[in-house]
């Protein structure tokens, strides 16, 4: 579909809303105006005059077949996630345009990146970055300063990283933005994380657990004490799983306390604390105070260091259920990570209820996925292809998936409840449990990824790294 890709500098001259409302696509600039593709010749003069007023440029219209115009639209402009026309009107503020567009199309992060000759803006969509705008080097510092002012950061400080938060409230939506600023060679790189206040879509039944996995998970989170840890890399959906869990556990007779960095969703009935390390409010300090707040359930955003790990263990030993995340590659590697942090093995064995590893996997678009015969060369070297995998699907791309070949994501899990046998393994420092996992038929990240390939839900390419585990 490369022949339909428009240069970013041309693409950003109109919004996605304008592209779909008028069914137009700009293709090139000329000395005195803009060339725009259309497929409908009705009321040509009226459309031309309106576009010249709206875009403040001389317009030349070129006709294309409807099918070709649709290709241009779907490749270059992404519709709202709910496929409706936005009720939020754009102002002349380019920053507002960038943020609202990201919100409408379901982007999780916005990256502002300065380089020698220009700066660019990229959106993260379904876990992948996509270039969306170009900004001139003259305009870029203005955008950065606007972000700093709204996040109440120091606009004169350009040598050190800064972190802040912006709250956006409109008639139609409320959301927060976490701001991270990093000095780079050619200027300050800014990343905005969009944090929704709407938790209606956060539901434990729709996360991706199989029936057996959900049963095991629910049994462990309903225990009165102990630790439940969820592991995975950044952006694997750990926090969403925790929030769905808290929603389920949130009862009128339960005192739930959380310490987070940042608070990604606001949950009514739960006491949430925002981390502020600059004033000494870190995870360990907050946890120490939590134990004097008569909690039933404690959620720690992340176990980063030995102090936090030890406080989490202490909370579990004194009769509380502790939920948290940790950065490891598998459910059993979580145990090794805690030992490396300095937590005694016998305490881990006595407090850890369950260790979960998770990943987010893009799902193939059902409208355009293509079935192919198995080709051994697309699998990792030495991978044992099961007998029931005779066919697989590859990503193609169509108008429904904006020519990415994928539509939406699904979480896959590896759930390891800590049994008496595993407790002994932990005390004895056993590093591998492959035989235990096989004999107990525990679904791993690798086996769940393979199941998605067999079911035609995703491609080998998407889960290649998981097949290597």
């Amino acid at each position: 579909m490369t022949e339909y890709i428009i240069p970013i500098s041309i693409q950003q001259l109109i919004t996605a809303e304008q592209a779909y409302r008028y069914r137009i696509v700009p293709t090139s600039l000329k000395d005195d105006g803009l060339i725009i593709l259309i497929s409908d010749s009705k009321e040509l003069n009226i459309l031309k005059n309106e576009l010249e007023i709206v875009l403040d440029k001389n317009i030349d219209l070129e006709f294309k077949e409807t099918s070709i115009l649709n290709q241009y639209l779907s490749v270059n402009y992404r519709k709202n996630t709910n496929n409706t026309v936005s009720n939020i009107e754009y102002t002349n503020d380019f920053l507002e345009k960038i943020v609202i567009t990201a919100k409408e199309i379901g982007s999780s992060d916005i990256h502002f990146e300065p380089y020698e000759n220009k700066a660019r803006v990229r959106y993260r969509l379904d876990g992948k970055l996509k270039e969306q705008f170009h900004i001139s080097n003259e305009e870029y510092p203005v955008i950065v300063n606007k972000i700093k002012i709204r996040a109440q950061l120091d606009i004169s400080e350009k040598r050190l990283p800064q972190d802040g938060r912006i709250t956006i409230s409109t008639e139609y939506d409320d959301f927060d933005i976490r701001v991270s600023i990093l000095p780079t060679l050619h200027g300050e790189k800014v990343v905005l994380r969009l944090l929704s206040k709407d938790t209606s879509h956060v539901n434990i039944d729709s996360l991706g657990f199989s029936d057996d996995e959900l049963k095991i998970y629910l049994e462990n989170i309903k225990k009165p004490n102990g630790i439940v840890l969820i592991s995975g890399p950044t952006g694997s959906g750990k926090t969403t799983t925790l929030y769905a869990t808290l929603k389920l556990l949130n009862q009128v007779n339960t005192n739930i306390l959380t310490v987070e960095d940042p608070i990604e969703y606001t949950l009514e009935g739960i006491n949430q604390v925002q981390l502020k390390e600059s004033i000494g409010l870190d995870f360990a300090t907050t946890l120490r105070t939590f134990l004097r707040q008569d909690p039933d359930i404690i959620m720690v955003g992340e176990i980063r260091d030995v102090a936090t790990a030890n406080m989490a263990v202490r909370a579990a030993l004194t009769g509380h259920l502790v939920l948290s995340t940790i950065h490891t590659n598998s459910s059993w590697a979580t145990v090794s990570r805690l030992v490396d942090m300095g937590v005694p093995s016998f305490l881990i064995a006595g407090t850890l209820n369950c260790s979960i590893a998770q990943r987010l996997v893009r799902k193939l678009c059902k409208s355009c996925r293509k079935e192919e015969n198995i080709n051994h060369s697309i699998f990792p070297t030495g991978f044992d292809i099961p007998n029931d995998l005779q066919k697989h699907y590859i990503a193609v791309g169509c108008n429904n998936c904006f020519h990415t070949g994928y539509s939406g994501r699904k979480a896959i899990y590896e759930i390891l409840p800590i049994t008496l046998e595993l407790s002994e393994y932990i005390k004895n420092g056993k590093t591998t449990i492959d035989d235990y996992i096989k004999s107990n038929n525990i679904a791993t990240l690798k086996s769940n990824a393979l199941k998605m390939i067999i079911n035609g839900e995703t491609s080998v390419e998407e889960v290649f790294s998981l097949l290597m585990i």
Side-chain angles (χ1 to χ4, degrees), residues 359 361 374 376 378-386 389 392 412 444-454 458-469:
R359 300 291 189 276
V361 177
I374 288 298
H376 289 259
I378 66 172
F379 289 90
T381 302
F383 179 77
D384 187 16
I385 301 174
L389 184 56
H392 73 109
I412 59 172
T444 63
L445 291 172
K446 182 177 180 177
S447 65
N448 280 329
L450 189 58
K451 186 185 295 184
M452 287 188 70
I453 295 173
I454 294 172
T458 194
S459 65
V460 175
E461 179 187 28
E462 175 66 11
V463 295
F464 187 89
S465 61
L466 295 178
L467 299 179
M468 296 173 65
I469 296 176

Side-chain angles (χ1 to χ4, degrees), residues 334-345 348 426:
T334 294
V335 175
S336 300
R337 177 79 176 115
L338 291 173
V339 171
D340 290 343
M341 283 182 173
V343 182
S345 296
I348 300 172
I426 294 172

Side-chain angles (χ1 to χ4, degrees), residues 246-264:
L246 291 177
K247 279 185 69 176
L248 184 70
L249 297 174
N250 188 14
Q251 305 293 331
V252 69
N253 60 352
T254 303
N255 180 22
I256 302 178
L257 300 171
T258 77
V259 53
E260 306 166 59
D261 183 29
I263 296 174
E264 296 197 16

Side-chain angles (χ1 to χ4, degrees), residues 216-381:
I216 295 170
Y217 185 65
L218 292 178
E219 285 175 356
N220 282 280
I221 64 172
K222 290 181 179 178
K223 291 180 179 179
N225 53 48
I227 302 174
V228 175
L229 288 178
I230 302 176
S231 66
T234 301
S236 59
K238 303 185 299 294
T239 305
T240 301
T241 299
L242 280 183
Y243 276 112
T245 304
L246 291 177
K247 279 185 69 176
L248 184 70
L249 297 174
N250 188 14
Q251 305 293 331
V252 69
N253 60 352
T254 303
N255 180 22
I256 302 178
L257 300 171
T258 77
V259 53
E260 306 166 59
D261 183 29
I263 296 174
E264 296 197 16
Y265 299 99
T266 303
L267 297 172
E268 187 173 350
I270 292 176
N271 306 284
Q272 297 173 267
V273 176
Q274 169 66 52
L275 203 69
K276 293 181 182 177
E277 291 183 327
S278 60
I279 60 171
L281 187 64
D282 55 19
F283 282 126
T285 302
T286 309
L287 270 174
R288 201 172 289 112
T289 305
F290 276 4
L291 295 181
R292 298 192 288 270
Q293 288 282 317
D294 187 29
D296 297 298
I297 299 169
I298 294 171
M299 192 270 268
V300 184
E302 182 184 345
I303 292 181
R304 298 175 180 172
D305 51 45
V306 62
T308 306
N310 282 326
M311 284 305 303
V313 168
R314 178 181 167 187
L317 286 171
T318 52
H320 307 96
L321 179 65
V322 179
L323 309 173
S324 190
T325 69
I326 193 168
H327 284 280
T328 61
N329 292 324
S330 67
S331 54
W332 187 244
T334 294
V335 175
S336 300
R337 177 79 176 115
L338 291 173
V339 171
D340 290 343
M341 283 182 173
V343 182
S345 296
F346 71 91
L347 288 181
I348 300 172
T351 57
L352 188 60
N353 291 348
C354 187
S355 178
I356 300 114
Q358 81 171 77
R359 300 291 189 276
L360 280 179
V361 177
R362 289 188 297 169
K363 296 188 293 183
L364 284 168
C365 173
K366 292 182 178 180
S367 300
C368 64
R369 64 181 183 176
K370 181 182 176 183
E371 188 180 66
E372 287 192 348
N373 292 325
I374 288 298
N375 182 347
H376 289 259
S377 65
I378 66 172
F379 289 90
T381 302

Side-chain angles (χ1 to χ4, degrees), residues 8-9 30 47-48 63 79 131 198-199 202 255 264 277 365 377-378 425 432:
I8 295 296
S9 57
K30 57 178 187 174
L47 175 61
K48 184 176 185 296
F63 293 101
K79 287 183 181 178
E131 195 171 35
D198 180 17
T199 60
V202 180
N255 180 22
E264 296 197 16
E277 291 183 327
C365 173
S377 65
I378 66 172
Y425 287 174
T432 59

